[in-house]
Amino acid sequence: MQDETGIGLRRAQIFREIIRSGSTRRASKTLQITQSAVSQQLKLFEELVGEKLFVRDRRGLIPTTRAIEIYNRIDRYFETLGHIEREILGSFAVARNSLSIAAPHIVCLSMLPKLVAEFERTNPSLEFYIRAQGYVQIAQHVLTGEADIGISRLPLDERFFEWKTISRSSSVCLVRPDHPLAGKERLTAADVSSEHMITLDREFSSNLLVLNAFTHKGRSPNVRVRTDAVGFVAAFAAYGSAITVVNEFIARQCAMFDLKSIPFHPAVTYEYVVFWRRGSEKIARQGAVIDAVFEFAKMNA
């Protein structure tokens, strides 16, 4: 017996093609099945939905409002399936001269575009695949081989990864230049406890360390915005939504925003690295490329 999931997907695909082509005849040609098979599957799909999805007139099949709603959802689903299929096939394809890099979101908006531009000059045949992710996802993709190298912060598990340090960074507070706190040489939890804050989600350990600085001083941060994109807190700060505490490495990646970086105490120190999977054959083959990426990242960190 054919799998019911497969049947459902096929009927949805046929319905989608009828909408796209405007007739069962043209849909049958595109799908390379008989017109009667298309009509039969459409009938079964309508029975599943519980109503007629087309009106027939001299122009052909006219979709109802409900049909358009269903089509829009199905079309998104098939686009997603197509993307997943390309991801699966692409993850096993071997490109002769390519490099996949996973990095925090803000790094993909600052350092990595500069890196690609530099390699365009020195190694124009090198192809890049850039993945903007959170720290946990970066490590997962390097571990599974979906990314060749990652840019992240320690700790990482040395059983699985090797790395080189590009930056050691302490906590800083990002504020607009016209903010009342912008004139201070350093800021503390007491200074900013009454301010609206922008932070990462609670699941980020770096965020917890910052929040603990407030707790240690017997204060509670006034969080206004939370985000799961590393470094994007700077964008909200730049538009005056609130202030944010990051670290020097992330602050330097945010140079595109007109913000002032002020040391924050008690400070937390972070170590940022370029890392790769231990024993990776591709890294061994592309040692010169990895060294070049590391040197560039270290100079621009």
Side-chain angles (χ1 to χ4, degrees):
M1 180 180 294
Q2 187 174 0
D3 179 69
E4 287 294 330
T5 302
I7 293 173
L9 286 174
R10 184 58 170 167
R11 288 172 185 167
Q13 181 189 34
I14 290 171
F15 165 77
R16 176 177 180 245
E17 193 55 47
I18 294 171
I19 292 280
R20 288 182 160 191
S21 63
S23 74
T24 56
R25 178 179 59 81
R26 287 191 290 270
S28 68
K29 287 186 177 181
T30 300
L31 297 169
Q32 298 184 335
I33 58 177
T34 64
Q35 186 174 355
S36 62
V38 170
S39 298
Q40 176 64 18
Q41 292 301 316
L42 173 59
K43 179 181 177 182
L44 293 172
F45 188 75
E46 287 178 324
E47 289 177 0
L48 177 65
V49 173
E51 63 180 280
K52 290 287 186 180
L53 297 174
F54 294 90
V55 176
R56 291 184 178 274
D57 69 4
R58 58 184 177 79
R59 294 171 293 175
L61 292 177
I62 308 302
T64 64
T65 301
R66 175 65 171 154
I68 296 299
E69 292 175 356
I70 295 173
Y71 167 78
N72 288 334
R73 292 177 62 183
I74 286 176
D75 191 54
R76 290 197 298 271
Y77 296 152
F78 274 95
E79 286 294 326
T80 300
L81 287 173
H83 177 73
I84 292 172
E85 182 179 24
R86 291 189 294 272
E87 283 281 309
I88 292 173
L89 295 176
S91 67
F92 296 107
V94 179
R96 296 182 62 85
N97 193 22
S98 67
L99 188 68
S100 176
I101 305 176
H105 304 79
I106 195 67
V107 175
C108 297
L109 289 176
S110 55
M111 179 191 293
L112 292 186
K114 297 174 187 176
L115 172 70
V116 173
E118 175 65 17
F119 272 83
E120 179 63 26
R121 183 180 65 82
T122 60
N123 191 351
S125 65
L126 184 63
E127 298 177 5
F128 288 92
Y129 185 178
I130 306 299
R131 297 176 179 271
Q133 299 171 322
Y135 295 120
V136 173
Q137 290 72 32
I138 292 170
Q140 289 174 343
H141 278 75
V142 173
L143 183 61
T144 60
E146 294 169 87
D148 300 316
I149 63 175
I151 296 176
S152 187
R153 56 170 175 72
L154 299 182
L156 290 167
D157 195 326
E158 63 182 9
R159 295 175 300 172
F160 306 120
F161 302 113
E162 297 178 88
W163 57 80
K164 292 183 177 182
T165 299
I166 59 174
S167 175
R168 289 183 175 87
S169 301
S170 296
S171 304
V172 294
C173 186
L174 294 180
V175 302
R176 287 169 57 96
D178 58 356
H179 194 281
L181 295 175
K184 287 184 171 288
E185 293 186 0
R186 79 170 192 173
L187 293 172
T188 66
D191 292 322
V192 304
S193 60
S194 61
E195 299 289 331
H196 284 144
M197 298 287 295
I198 311 159
T199 72
L200 290 169
D201 275 351
R202 294 181 185 278
E203 66 187 71
F204 286 80
S205 58
S206 58
N207 179 49
L208 291 176
L209 291 172
V210 171
L211 296 182
N212 286 341
F214 288 86
T215 304
H216 181 69
K217 296 295 183 180
R219 299 177 181 273
S220 298
N222 185 8
V223 178
R224 185 178 187 186
V225 180
R226 293 186 188 276
T227 177
D228 63 353
V230 178
F232 280 17
V233 290
F236 293 93
Y239 282 93
S241 298
I243 65 174
T244 188
V245 177
V246 291
N247 62 72
E248 294 164 310
F249 172 77
I250 294 298
R252 284 191 288 270
Q253 308 309 308
C254 300
M256 66 190 78
F257 301 109
D258 185 20
L259 293 169
K260 186 171 182 180
S261 176
I262 305 172
F264 180 81
H265 291 267
V268 178
T269 300
Y270 306 89
E271 186 170 353
Y272 280 85
V273 299
V274 171
F275 74 104
W276 55 91
R277 190 180 67 222
R278 185 175 291 278
S280 169
E281 294 181 3
K282 184 170 184 179
I283 297 301
R285 292 196 307 268
Q286 294 187 307
V289 171
I290 304 306
D291 288 343
V293 171
F294 165 71
E295 292 298 334
F296 182 91
K298 186 174 182 179
M299 287 189 299
N300 289 270

